[in-house]
Amino acid sequence: MRTLPFLLLACCMGACTSRPSSGGADGLTLLVGTYTNGNSHGIYTFRFNGNTGESRLLDSIALPNPSFLTVSADLKHVYAVSEMNDSSAMLNLLAFDPAGGKLRLLDRHPTFGTDPCHVATDGHMVLTANYSGGSISVFPLHADGTTAPADTLFHGMANGLDSVRQNEPHVHCTAFSPDGRYVFATDFSADRLLRFDVTENGLSPSPDSTIVSVNPDSGPRHLTFSPDGRHAYLIGELSGCVTAFAYEAGRLTPIQTIAADTTGARGSADIHVSPDGQFLYASNRLQNDGIAIFAIHPQKGTLTPAGYQPTGKHPRNFGITPDGKYLLAACRDDNVIQVYRRDNRTGLLNDTHQDIHVDKPVCIVFVNKP
């Protein structure tokens, strides 16, 4: 295996997202990743009704701490991490039936980095972001969508201001660029984003000029792109701020920084743009748990506060249905997924009270039912 530190950079479609839907009241399968140190035993699948917001359980499969997962473009496979803090940290490959929601474990590969907390794929490789390991693992994909063992490991850095939270390298997520030519990684403990070139052989570190520094003490966590690919948005876990970027040809240019958390809780988590590109949502934890809502300027990509939706405890992740009608928040510490109906005009959320009760939910993925 090649092991390449991110320090080399100074010298020279992701997890928990929705797949397009053909619509229909009963046309979505919902996958939920969990922590299994309580009553949950792994991944759960549900049928989600787009008219009522109701869900019914389809299947489940036992896996240790499958906290984040993603689905292949052909819907035949699920790639899920086992977020473990030792050598049992794994990437799991599962066969998937989107119509019936059935899952079957096919293979497991070590990540060689502890606490993998995010997974992404472009159909040619799978990437895990290993939080405690401070690294990215690169798994090549065979033509049939099955995974090969990890062949490259990139390591991060730790030079941030927070002597407790940034005292060792942490990598929190990776995101493929809209054009598929690049991968951006959140180097949490170094307050920066790193860029890799996507090559026929996997990933290659880009020159130093492509490193994007963010404000000190930000703790960059999750990055997402707008549907039109012209802008990107980063949530800082420690700062509680969203940074908006203009994106073009592999370049991220900061255009705005705005607070999503005004309490200083240092626990901001997830970030997503609505399918119509008009609103951005960012979740906050530890204090005033909830989701900040921003309107997006249609040309500039800048953000204006539009509202705030209180949620259950610890909304670690949330997902928006492909038609934009619903937002589901995984409230880990309340053991519930809350179902909100979105107002497409204002972006505001209304609790449907169609709660899905799952122990320690972490990741939400919608896929189309064939």
Side-chain angles (χ1 to χ4, degrees):
M1 175 190 295
R2 296 179 294 155
T3 302
L4 301 176
F6 283 144
L7 185 61
L8 289 177
L9 294 171
C11 300
C12 36
M13 204 159 227
C16 292
T17 56
S18 302
R19 297 292 184 187
S21 170
S22 61
D26 205 30
L28 288 175
T29 301
L30 168 64
L31 296 95
V32 178
T34 69
Y35 284 130
T36 56
N37 57 341
N39 295 322
S40 172
H41 67 260
I43 300 174
Y44 296 82
T45 61
F46 297 84
R47 181 74 69 238
F48 184 81
N49 188 302
N51 281 340
T52 66
E54 295 175 302
S55 300
R56 58 183 175 87
L57 182 66
L58 296 176
D59 193 25
S60 64
I61 188 169
L63 281 175
N65 277 2
S67 61
F68 263 61
L69 57 92
T70 192
V71 183
S72 63
D74 62 7
L75 307 185
K76 293 181 179 180
H77 296 102
V78 169
Y79 309 105
V81 301
S82 280
E83 188 176 338
M84 307 296 287
N85 194 27
D86 54 28
S87 60
S88 64
M90 295 282 171
L91 173 68
N92 302 285
L93 168 67
L94 301 103
F96 178 51
D97 169 23
K102 298 293 184 182
L103 294 164
R104 178 169 53 90
L105 182 64
L106 298 177
D107 206 353
R108 310 186 76 205
H109 297 294
T111 57
F112 302 107
T114 52
D115 289 321
C117 62
H118 188 274
V119 60
T121 184
D122 66 346
H124 302 287
M125 70 185 91
V126 176
L127 309 177
T128 64
N130 310 313
Y131 182 75
S132 298
S135 60
I136 294 173
S137 302
V138 182
F139 299 83
L141 284 178
H142 301 300
D144 62 357
T146 57
T147 50
D151 69 356
T152 311
L153 198 66
F154 296 96
H155 288 284
M157 294 179 62
N159 54 13
L161 296 178
D162 191 317
S163 61
V164 176
R165 304 278 292 278
Q166 295 178 311
N167 66 332
E168 58 185 10
H170 297 304
V171 179
H172 220 298
C173 89
T174 61
F176 287 91
S177 63
D179 53 23
R181 297 174 56 193
Y182 309 99
V183 165
F184 292 91
T186 56
D187 201 6
F188 177 95
S189 295
D191 290 322
R192 62 181 185 172
L193 293 172
L194 300 168
R195 195 190 83 176
F196 298 85
D197 296 329
V198 175
T199 72
E200 292 183 358
N201 297 318
L203 296 185
S204 175
S206 294
D208 176 60
S209 60
T210 62
I211 293 175
V212 180
S213 296
V214 295
N215 291 337
D217 203 35
S218 287
R221 180 180 171 100
H222 278 193
L223 177 74
T224 190
F225 285 89
S226 60
D228 64 9
R230 296 173 51 234
H231 297 94
Y233 301 92
L234 172 72
I235 186 68
E237 179 173 346
L238 302 180
S239 67
C241 289
V242 175
T243 302
F245 301 89
Y247 176 74
E248 184 177 8
R251 299 284 175 169
L252 288 173
T253 303
I255 57 175
Q256 183 191 23
T257 298
I258 188 170
D261 170 34
T262 59
T263 69
R266 300 177 73 77
S268 295
D270 203 14
I271 187 167
H272 295 287
V273 178
S274 59
D276 60 13
Q278 296 185 31
F279 294 93
L280 179 134
Y281 300 83
S283 65
N284 298 306
R285 309 164 295 170
L286 306 184
Q287 295 179 35
N288 193 30
D289 290 20
I291 296 176
I293 306 167
F294 299 90
I296 301 176
H297 191 285
Q299 285 79 43
K300 298 179 181 179
T302 51
L303 305 174
T304 301
Y308 196 89
Q309 177 62 52
T311 65
K313 294 180 182 178
H314 210 93
R316 168 103 179 225
N317 172 250
F318 62 93
I320 303 172
T321 55
D323 61 6
K325 287 180 61 176
Y326 295 93
L327 182 151
L328 275 64
C331 301
R332 188 195 70 183
D333 292 356
D334 273 341
N335 303 315
V336 68
I337 298 171
Q338 294 176 315
V339 180
Y340 296 93
R341 186 181 289 271
R342 287 186 63 250
D343 186 317
N344 289 330
R345 182 180 58 87
T346 66
L348 299 181
L349 304 174
N350 181 55
D351 193 348
T352 68
H353 301 288
Q354 300 287 356
D355 293 351
I356 304 170
H357 295 278
V358 180
D359 197 67
K360 292 184 170 56
V362 180
C363 178
I364 293 173
V365 175
F366 290 101
V367 298
N368 180 43
K369 171 188 169 186

